[in-house]
Amino acid sequence: MTEVTFSTIQLGAKKTSLAARLAHFIKVFAKSPSNWLSMRIAADLMRDTEFIERQMKLIKQMDDEQVEKGMAFIRGILPELVKMDNAIEKIQNPALSVAFRRHELAIYKLEAKLHVKQTEHLPVIPTDPELREALYYNTIMSLSTLIK
């Protein structure tokens, strides 16, 4: 079996994540960012986003230990994403904002796919027929109020 790792993202590494370094860097230079600097950060975010999107295709081949490492890594960078979001809002640069939003979306997609892979072996519990009927009735009632 081929071993699948996130070598560029460095899962399980003791180094500071890219998100944390970028958040700190943006916070330091938020008051006077040059256009070159923000475009460089946006280009780096787009490059990392493309890498994450390529890694999503490898999730099906991962074993349980690798998926758990991936989830731990994602849980570690989610607070840093919030810090980066706050720093990027202060700059108000549209190109950087678009690049960050795409990067953020890719990380959330990666988290979702890892979560699905992590829970795929759990049994599916069938929904109670009464609950399904109640949901169906509520859906029809809410749609009928929206149409009026």
Side-chain angles (χ1 to χ4, degrees):
M1 178 178 166
T2 307
E3 182 166 335
V4 180
T5 61
F6 289 83
S7 59
T8 305
I9 303 178
Q10 298 175 355
L11 290 178
K14 299 294 182 194
K15 296 181 180 181
T16 307
S17 69
L18 172 66
R21 287 182 282 151
L22 275 176
H24 177 70
F25 186 74
I26 290 171
K27 187 168 79 174
V28 169
F29 292 100
K31 298 195 177 357
S32 62
S34 67
N35 192 29
W36 175 84
L37 179 64
S38 59
M39 295 308 289
R40 173 65 187 203
I41 294 171
D44 287 346
L45 282 172
M46 295 301 279
R47 183 196 67 221
D48 291 344
T49 301
E50 290 169 4
F51 173 77
I52 290 171
E53 289 171 349
R54 285 192 308 269
Q55 294 303 309
M56 279 189 247
K57 296 175 184 171
L58 301 175
I59 290 176
K60 293 179 182 174
Q61 303 169 3
M62 293 176 131
D63 61 8
D64 291 339
E65 182 181 330
Q66 291 170 331
V67 171
E68 187 57 42
K69 283 183 182 179
M71 287 298 288
F73 176 76
I74 296 292
R75 278 188 232 111
I77 66 169
L78 287 180
E80 304 303 327
L81 279 178
V82 173
K83 291 178 187 176
M84 283 179 64
D85 189 19
N86 294 336
I88 288 174
E89 281 182 22
K90 289 179 186 176
I91 294 175
Q92 297 178 350
N93 184 325
L96 185 59
S97 180
V98 167
F100 176 72
R101 296 292 172 240
R102 185 170 175 222
H103 184 72
E104 190 177 34
L105 181 63
I107 289 175
Y108 286 130
K109 280 183 183 178
L110 178 65
E111 178 192 22
K113 289 183 184 255
L114 284 171
H115 181 72
V116 167
K117 175 71 175 175
Q118 191 176 33
T119 58
E120 72 183 1
H121 66 281
L122 297 176
V124 177
I125 301 170
T127 306
D128 183 27
E130 291 178 7
L131 179 60
R132 278 198 299 191
E133 185 178 327
L135 288 172
Y136 175 74
Y137 178 74
N138 284 336
T139 304
I140 288 178
M141 291 305 292
S142 66
L143 287 175
S144 65
T145 58
L146 291 175
I147 293 174
K148 292 179 185 179

